[in-house]
Amino acid sequence: MKKLIARVKQRRKNWEVCLRNMDLKRKKAFTKLLLEWHRNENHRVMPWKGIRDPYRIWLAETILQQTRVEQGWAYYERFVQAFPTLADLAVAPEEHIFRLWQGLGYYNRCRNLLHTARELVSHHGGLFPRSYEQLLTLKGIGPYTAAAIASFAFDLPHAVVDGNVLRVLSRYFGWEQPIDTSEGKRLYSSLANELISRESPGAYNQAIMDLGATICRPRVPLCGQCPLARCCKAFEQGKAEQLPVKVSRRTIRQRYFHYLVIWYEDRIVLQRRENKDIWRGLYEFPLLEADAPGGAELLHHAAWKNLLPDEDWILKSISDRQQQLTHQRIYARFFAVETSRPPAVLAHQILVHRHQLTLYAFPGIIIQYLRDGQGRLF
Ligand code: SF4
């Protein structure tokens, strides 16, 4: 067994040495060409670009995780306006932050934002630590965000590695090593940290991210406009669109949510999601989850007996919505019911007037329902 491990280690070493020699020339050209392009031709504008305030960098990077720049832009501006400093964010009520975050998804980011803001104010004198390793100890700050804060705010040479960066590196060096295995991630990350400019780490990180987003795009890369084209192996071999290689296929879990939208006069029943699942802390209608889509017979389900005790209610409509999350697809069916008696809400439920709905934060699928007229709201 020991021999086998030693052999695997040796092979890995040989592979790394081999790559190092092969790519030496390309490596030398990479950082130089990238920085030249950034200085002279990179005209991409974003509100957080070039700032050195670690709080705003952290805010922008947290918002941008799993989010397109176009979508994150308005959220960033709203957050900066509502909470110009770390201290402002730390004292904000959770409900307020959830409301601002509404529609962005991945609400754990939002919870971590508040947790870390409070942690920094109470235990770090309201300042971000100035080392990559210490940044990593904060909740919600992973290697990418820590590298962004360290390089943009403190000029420390830590390379950001995200989908854009992996794509550029894999294509430029013609690497077929899959980007989504732990071995692949280790190799690409070590390459990125080898390439980063020691003099201008922030500019280097910004440049590679911008190049990946605007020129070395996932589909139809603009090789004709690329500053790296003359040394790019994928371009040379005409295989840009076949790289990077991925091995995993995501399995998508299908979930069937049945919502009871129960109206009593101008009021509606809501409940807060408390379990460790998607959308924790957000509000929704009383919910029944099942293995398959259900029909109106669900209105007689025991779980809804308190809200629909007898026949003093009318079913007004049934409508469907869908929402795709990273690993789940949500099929939601909304049963809109009107009742002539106040529903007996349980301890975790509330009866809310329609004009007060804007005070609550909802998952995207509920907002969709409330906005499009079926729910008569928003
Ligand atoms: S030449 Fe094409 S494939 Fe190579 S880095 Fe530039 S855009 Fe990407």
Side-chain angles (χ1 to χ4, degrees):
M1 190 65 180
K2 272 184 186 168
K3 273 187 184 170
L4 184 69
I5 295 172
R7 220 179 304 145
V8 170
K9 278 187 181 167
Q10 188 55 46
R11 247 187 241 161
R12 185 188 285 170
K13 247 188 208 162
N14 293 347
W15 156 252
E16 283 173 23
V17 169
C18 174
L19 283 177
R20 227 173 277 148
N21 293 338
M22 268 181 353
D23 294 331
L24 211 58
K25 281 188 189 159
R26 278 198 172 82
K27 279 181 189 164
K28 279 190 181 156
F30 185 84
T31 309
K32 186 171 167 285
L33 294 171
L34 191 65
L35 285 175
E36 269 171 22
W37 171 78
H38 184 60
R39 256 192 315 274
N40 305 321
E41 292 171 65
N42 181 9
H43 304 303
R44 193 175 186 217
V45 177
M46 291 175 297
W48 49 83
K49 199 165 155 177
I51 53 174
R52 295 183 56 90
D53 174 359
Y55 164 64
R56 292 189 183 199
I57 295 165
W58 168 61
L59 205 51
E61 296 305 337
T62 306
I63 288 172
L64 291 174
Q65 287 162 21
Q66 319 274 354
T67 302
R68 284 175 299 109
V69 165
E70 301 72 36
Q71 193 194 4
W73 191 306
Y75 281 89
Y76 171 79
E77 291 187 326
R78 240 175 276 153
F79 264 82
V80 166
Q81 199 179 12
F83 315 114
T85 67
L86 180 70
D88 296 319
L89 180 65
V91 294
E94 189 181 90
E95 288 294 324
H96 186 185
I97 295 178
F98 272 2
R99 280 289 305 167
L100 278 186
W101 195 270
Q102 188 171 259
L104 205 48
Y106 304 99
Y107 284 83
N108 260 345
R109 291 181 289 170
C110 184
R111 268 185 285 277
N112 290 341
L113 210 56
L114 186 57
H115 177 96
T116 295
R118 290 180 178 166
E119 162 88 13
L120 286 169
V121 167
S122 9
H123 301 293
H124 297 258
L127 297 172
F128 277 80
R130 297 180 70 95
S131 93
Y132 174 79
E133 290 72 22
Q134 277 182 295
L135 285 164
L136 278 179
T137 63
L138 298 168
K139 207 167 177 184
I141 298 191
Y144 179 89
T145 308
I149 300 173
S151 63
F152 296 141
F154 307 129
D155 286 325
L156 297 171
H158 291 279
V160 292
V161 181
D162 68 350
N164 284 330
V165 173
L166 290 168
R167 188 170 57 254
V168 172
L169 294 181
S170 154
R171 288 176 175 171
Y172 179 84
F173 290 96
W175 279 18
E176 292 181 5
Q177 183 79 23
I179 58 170
D180 56 348
T181 59
S182 44
E183 177 64 359
K185 282 179 191 157
R186 198 185 63 78
L187 276 174
Y188 283 101
S189 169
S190 125
L191 173 66
N193 279 298
E194 199 182 322
L195 293 168
I196 193 167
S197 157
R198 267 48 193 171
E199 295 74 41
S200 316
Y204 168 90
N205 275 338
Q206 190 64 59
I208 192 165
M209 288 194 284
D210 288 351
L211 187 97
T214 59
I215 292 183
C216 195
R217 308 179 305 191
R219 271 175 236 112
V220 200
L222 305 175
C223 300
Q225 299 171 29
C226 181
L228 306 178
R230 70 182 130 111
C231 301
C232 174
K233 198 159 177 186
F235 180 56
E236 184 187 299
Q237 299 178 341
K239 57 177 192 185
E241 293 195 49
Q242 288 141 41
L243 294 174
V245 173
K246 283 187 191 172
V247 287
S248 67
R249 284 194 167 269
R250 247 189 292 158
T251 48
I252 303 286
R253 179 180 170 203
Q254 320 271 345
R255 299 179 74 176
Y256 300 93
F257 286 6
H258 302 87
Y259 282 122
L260 177 61
V261 187
I262 182 160
W263 284 98
Y264 167 64
E265 295 177 344
D266 262 351
R267 283 176 284 171
I268 195 166
V269 178
L270 298 180
Q271 60 190 35
R272 197 170 191 255
R273 283 182 77 88
E274 298 294 359
N275 49 354
K276 276 199 168 179
D277 191 0
I278 51 169
W279 307 333
R280 185 154 62 96
L282 302 190
Y283 285 83
E284 62 183 359
F285 307 119
L287 167 73
L288 272 179
E289 185 171 357
D291 295 335
E297 73 283 355
L298 285 177
L299 294 170
H300 302 283
H301 195 284
W304 286 348
K305 261 275 172 269
N306 65 307
L307 299 167
L308 301 171
D310 43 39
E311 296 306 316
D312 287 344
W313 50 267
I314 310 164
L315 174 62
K316 303 293 281 188
S317 68
I318 300 178
S319 59
D320 295 333
R321 302 283 180 290
Q322 291 182 26
Q323 187 174 353
Q324 181 68 55
L325 307 174
T326 314
H327 298 287
Q328 305 186 26
R329 182 158 197 87
I330 308 296
Y331 297 91
R333 180 157 285 174
F334 295 85
F335 299 96
V337 169
E338 271 186 13
T339 172
S340 52
R341 282 204 226 160
V345 292
L346 298 176
H348 65 291
Q349 296 169 332
I350 45 174
L351 196 55
V352 173
H353 194 278
R354 58 185 300 175
H355 295 315
Q356 290 182 320
L357 284 174
T358 48
L359 300 175
Y360 297 86
F362 299 102
I365 206 159
I366 304 264
I367 298 167
Q368 232 185 68
Y369 174 80
L370 292 172
R371 278 201 180 132
D372 71 4
Q374 295 280 345
R376 314 186 303 183
L377 297 155
F378 277 28

